[in-house]
Amino acid sequence: MMMLALWLLGALAVSAQTPPPTPSPAWETVFEEGLALVGDEVTPTAELKLLREQLLRLRGEALEVEAAAAPRVADVSARLEALGPAPAEGATEDPALAERRARIEAELSAAQAPVLEAQDYQRRSDALIRDIDRIVRARFAAELTSLGPSPLLPGNLVETVEAAVSNDSRIRGRLAEALSDPVVRADLMRRIPAEFLMALIGITIVFVVRRRLTAWVEHKLERATEPRAIALLVTVRNLGRLIVPTVGVGLLFATLDPEQLLNPTPDRPHFVVPNFALAIIGAAWLASSLYAPKLPRFRLVPLGDAAALRSARVTIGLGLVIAVKLLLTRYVTDWEMTPAAAATLEFPLFVVGGALLWGASRILRSVRRALLQPEPAGPDRTGTITLTLIGFAERGTWLLAFAAPALAAVGFYAMADFVLYGAILTLGLVGACVVVYDLILTTAGAVLRTPDPDRSGTLALSDGLAPIVLGTVVTLAALPLLALIWGARYADIADVWFMLRDGVTLGGMRISLGMVVGFAIVFAILFGLTRILQSLLRGTVLPRTKLDAGGRNAVLAGVGYTGFFIAATAAVSSTGVDLTSLAVVAGALSVGIGFGLQNIVSNFVSGIILLVERPIKEGDWIEVGGHAGYVRGISVRSTEIETFERASVILPNSDLVAGTVLNRTHTGMSGRIAVPVGVSYSSDPRQVERILIAIAEDHPMVLPEPNPRVLFTGFGDNSLNFEIRCWLRDVNFSLSARSDLNFEIFARFEKEGISIPFPHRELRFREGDLRGAVEAALGAVEAPEKS
């Protein structure tokens, strides 16, 4: 015990000597640069978002500095209060006491300095973050309210048709050019059997396995009576409608990617589920789960068979609208079209989407009318809040159904896009919440139902407060998705989480979600133990005593009050309001981390920074420490990089955070390449420039904007030196694109009669060595012939 006490005292002494963390001097530089970026009206929005992330990180560091210095401030303040109030003006004080008071006040000022500086940094960060949010929101609002060309003008329709025909010809030409290569054709014919087999398996899963599994489950559901069997079948039915078609579509579309068919990559994925296919799968799942046209018994909305069938068709139609939108976004963005042609091309989608939204508003009206009718089987459990929300959704959907195509027709394309797809996705999210809520409450409740001793029958999860709690949890989980649908940014969601995590200051005390949860958990555990002790006393201990009923109740009440007080005190202490009880543990832990776990903690914190900040992410092409390759995995301790030789390099996370990392795909997949070319001095430089620009513009991987450039870099010993500089859609194909350009350059130069020179060397021999040199040369020529 004596050794333990000495060790703890030593740990406290070491921790007391360790200076508290202070704000970093680099923070001031960040704020100055941030003010310059915010003040510049032409600063890109992406750069403002990166600055915002950096400010959030600095604000978190300032909070850590404040929290780390708070115990020291509280300790010195307590020592100062122990001396009593300072003497009044004109009164005298003992010199030793006055000297001690002055020394403690100096310590308090020194301890408060980093806290005040950290608070100043927090306020400045908040101000800059508010300015960034204001600028970004203003730009978003300007984009929404921008007026573009109307798709109803006849000239725009003609332009759209011409653009579609032109791009179709261009795509078919690229396809024909690729297929004209015998190597590509041979490779394609070699892979066709495997590709066809995989596609056939995918089609079979989607159209055969899914239908038969669904038919089998629905057949069983029609005859099932036992609640747990019904719960299992309903779960299988929902998962089967989501997982089975997703697997089939993933196998099917893995073989239908045009780029992979003609130019397969080594890391080609064998399972691809495009987002437009997910939209169709999700819509079909919602239609079958909400309306169940073939299973009225399991229908989640009170509609008749005919209305349920119409509602299912409307739901699938809305999913198809989203799918077509995603399809156009994925494949038509590369088309060479003007904004007017693009708006005209998508305008029919607004008309169809508006009509389907009007049908969705009719569905909501039918559901509301059905819920207003009293149920003969028992009391009505539908609250007025549900009816009010359905009525509001009905009127809002009806209004947006007409507003979206009208806005698109006038020319407010961005606003129409925001309104239409936001409304469709909101309806889908609400429907998914209803299905998930019912799946947990009904099916899982049937599995967890237990016998009720107070009533005949069983007690299910749907009894009591469980539906309210579950509904609240599902709603809270859906709120971030709803906010993202209607224009919120991921940074806004991160701000809410930051506020919940780090809390807000009220009355000089910071209250956070973690403090509230910790308080609730500690209080619930200790109060539950108090209840157990009361039950033990009531049933076992007190009946064996001579106390009367009043005495027993007094003892039980005293135990309850005492337990409640202890639980409340411990819960308050657990929130961090009073940290004196944790001083010994904190000191010992700091010593242990400082001496034995420094590298582990450093890598762990660096891993968290990498996962949250995402300077690199899985799939990025990075170069660090002399290694280059793709990031394959990021854990809390290390990061795995797969080199181009398929070797794995394991790097500690601290090296990635503290060192210099070149990330070629951090902000996007595009990147620039430079292809040097040398031609003979007899060539026309302008002709060479035109040929090289045409070659670069014709390459499918080269972006038209920024446009390719050809630079005349200088005069070499044997050649005129040029360089092609162009931007690629995907920098991962830089080597193949450079090779393609070199092939095409060689072919075009040979066709145009432009020669690519090679170095010329003149050798001089002395007269005495000429014969030996000739004999050596002839021997070198004859040696291969003899071999």
Side-chain angles (χ1 to χ4, degrees), residues 188-203:
L188 185 61
M189 294 301 296
R190 179 181 57 82
R191 291 186 289 108
I192 277 180
E195 304 284 354
F196 177 76
L197 179 61
M198 185 177 293
L200 183 61
I201 293 174
I203 294 173

Side-chain angles (χ1 to χ4, degrees), residues 347-487:
F347 180 71
L349 205 58
F350 287 101
V351 177
V352 176
L356 291 172
L357 275 184
W358 179 84
S361 68
R362 301 302 91 190
I363 296 173
L364 293 172
R365 171 178 290 187
S366 301
V367 172
R368 187 170 184 273
R369 288 178 178 177
L371 292 176
L372 286 173
Q373 298 177 0
E375 297 182 4
D380 184 15
R381 294 189 177 184
T382 304
T384 56
I385 296 179
T386 303
L387 294 174
T388 303
L389 291 177
I390 294 176
F392 176 78
E394 173 202 343
R395 291 186 290 271
T397 305
W398 181 87
L399 178 62
L400 296 180
F402 292 96
L407 290 171
V410 173
F412 290 99
Y413 179 80
M415 180 65 74
D417 188 276
F418 178 75
V419 166
L420 177 66
Y421 302 113
I424 296 176
L425 291 175
T426 300
L427 292 176
L429 178 62
V430 172
C433 290
V434 172
V435 175
V436 171
Y437 171 83
D438 179 79
L439 185 64
I440 298 176
L441 187 65
T442 304
T443 61
V447 175
L448 299 176
R449 66 171 55 211
T450 56
D452 186 7
D454 299 329
R455 296 179 295 178
S456 60
T458 57
L459 184 63
L461 190 66
S462 57
D463 297 324
L465 294 176
I468 298 176
V469 175
L470 180 60
T472 303
V473 171
V474 173
T475 302
L476 292 177
L479 285 179
L481 298 176
L482 183 64
L484 292 174
I485 289 174
W486 289 106

Side-chain angles (χ1 to χ4, degrees), residues 500-504 509-522 571-577:
L500 294 175
R501 184 194 64 183
D502 295 314
V504 295
M509 182 178 64
R510 183 168 293 276
I511 300 176
S512 65
L513 179 63
M515 295 173 60
V516 174
V517 173
F519 176 88
I521 292 176
V522 173
V572 171
S573 298
S574 68
T575 60
V577 176

Side-chain angles (χ1 to χ4, degrees), residues 67-68 123 293 317 336 489 491 528 568 572 576 785:
R123 287 189 289 268
E336 299 175 357
R489 298 166 297 149
V572 171
E785 298 177 356

